[in-house]
């Protein structure tokens, strides 16, 4: 069973999986869009990331069933409204601005998560190269040095995206990273006021830095 939430433009906001066991079931939408993060097929985590927070407005929901991959609509669409519970003390930006900013953030998250996955897989390949080099008695010094340098370059890229692992493990702060800047920017899509100047600027810097990181990643990635 699927509940499909759409905005008034007919764009799908979220698909929610319903239960199929006997009895009556109540399903709640947490008012978040679907996540833009890529899926790591090797990850065993059950964590499901969320997208931006839905803004006040009119939405629709329809009920569908899926049997052997075939989806058939059963009921709906039914309109419902999201309303803001409290008026803020300070003026905020318009709903349209928040949604536009949220889509910008989602685009960066999508690209960044894809790059992080590529970086993770490439790093595994380089680790395998290092193991192979260690087992090769007559490996040339030049090749060994290239593999070592490639591993160091990937470490630097990972640090620029995700931060210093050792410092993070002990709770010590580090310089702002692409990920931390995007996280700061994304908080502008979850409140009732919309993005601040600081959040907008963080997104701009993250986009600029990510272009450089992506170019370096493409340059350092070894051939299959």
């Amino acid at each position: 069973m699927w509940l499909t939430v759409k905005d008034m433009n007919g764009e799908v906001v979220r698909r929610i999986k319903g239960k199929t066991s006997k009895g009556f079931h109540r399903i709640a939408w947490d008012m978040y869009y679907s996540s833009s993060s890529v899926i790591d097929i090797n990850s065993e985590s059950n964590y499901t990331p969320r997208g931006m927070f839905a803004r006040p407005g009119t939405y629709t929901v329809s009920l569908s069933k899926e049997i052997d991959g075939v989806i058939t609509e059963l009921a709906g669409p039914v309109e419902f409204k999201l309303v803001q519970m409290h008026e803020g003390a300070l003026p905020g930006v318009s709903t349209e601005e928040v949604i536009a900013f949220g889509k910008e953030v989602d685009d960066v998250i999508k690209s960044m998560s894809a790059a992080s996955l590529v970086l993770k897989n490439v790093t595994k390949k380089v680790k395998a190269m290092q193991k192979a080099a260690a087992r090769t008695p007559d490996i040339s010094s030049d090749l060994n040095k290239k593999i070592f340098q490639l591993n160091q370059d990937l470490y630097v890229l990972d640090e620029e995206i995700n931060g210093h692992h050792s410092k993070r493990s002990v709770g010590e702060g580090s310089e702002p990273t692409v990920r931390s800047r995007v996280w700061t920017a994304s908080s502008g899509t979850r409140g009732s006021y919309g993005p601040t100047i600081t959040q907008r600027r963080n997104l701009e810097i993250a986009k600029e830095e990510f272009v450089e990181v992506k170019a370096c990643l493409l340059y350092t990635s070894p051939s299959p």
Side-chain angles (χ1 to χ4, degrees):
M1 304 301 294
W2 291 102
L3 288 134
T4 303
V5 180
K6 297 181 181 180
D7 61 19
M8 285 307 293
N9 295 321
E11 295 184 9
V12 176
V13 173
R14 186 80 172 270
R15 292 178 71 230
I16 308 165
K17 193 172 184 179
K19 295 181 179 180
T20 56
S21 56
K22 292 180 180 180
F24 291 93
H25 301 287
R26 178 174 292 178
I27 303 297
W29 173 40
D30 60 6
M31 296 181 292
Y32 279 90
Y33 278 63
S34 298
S35 172
S36 297
S37 299
V38 299
I39 298 172
D40 183 358
I41 60 174
N42 296 313
S43 175
E44 297 181 356
S45 172
N46 292 322
Y47 171 70
T48 302
R50 298 184 297 187
M52 68 176 177
F53 190 65
R55 309 308 300 175
T58 303
Y59 296 82
T60 65
V61 60
S62 57
L63 180 67
S64 306
K65 66 177 181 179
E66 180 180 349
I67 299 177
D68 297 331
V70 178
I71 298 177
T72 305
E73 189 166 293
L74 299 176
V78 175
E79 285 191 4
F80 67 95
K81 290 186 177 181
L82 288 185
V83 295
Q84 190 168 326
M85 294 179 66
H86 304 286
E87 288 294 330
L90 300 174
V93 301
S94 67
T95 296
E96 291 74 19
E97 287 182 86
V98 177
I99 292 175
F101 182 76
K103 289 182 177 178
E104 279 191 73
V105 172
D106 275 354
D107 287 342
V108 178
I109 290 175
K110 187 185 299 181
S111 297
M112 184 182 67
S113 61
S116 295
L117 184 57
V118 170
L119 179 60
K120 178 182 176 181
N121 293 333
V122 169
T123 301
K124 286 182 179 179
K125 287 183 179 180
V126 174
K127 294 295 183 185
M129 289 179 184
Q130 289 179 318
K131 289 183 178 180
R135 297 177 186 179
T136 306
D138 57 345
I139 186 171
S140 68
S141 177
D142 182 56
L143 179 57
N144 200 58
K145 183 179 179 181
K146 286 181 178 178
I147 295 174
F148 172 81
Q149 188 58 50
L150 183 57
N151 185 64
Q152 292 299 108
D153 291 342
L154 292 173
Y155 181 83
V156 171
L157 287 176
D158 181 65
E159 191 171 307
E160 290 181 8
I161 295 175
N162 302 307
H164 197 289
H165 288 275
S166 299
K167 287 184 178 181
R168 192 167 65 245
S169 65
V170 295
E172 184 178 342
S174 59
E175 293 295 319
T177 64
V178 175
R179 186 177 296 279
S180 68
R181 289 190 183 281
V182 173
W183 177 255
T184 299
S186 68
S187 61
T189 67
R190 295 191 291 269
S192 57
Y193 291 103
T196 63
I197 295 176
T198 298
Q199 289 162 344
R200 291 181 186 275
R201 182 56 185 149
N202 268 273
L203 182 60
E204 290 175 4
I205 296 174
K207 290 167 74 173
E208 292 168 3
E209 293 180 344
F210 180 69
V211 169
E212 298 178 9
V213 170
K214 188 177 180 180
C216 291
L217 180 59
L218 293 173
Y219 178 76
T220 56
S221 297
S223 301

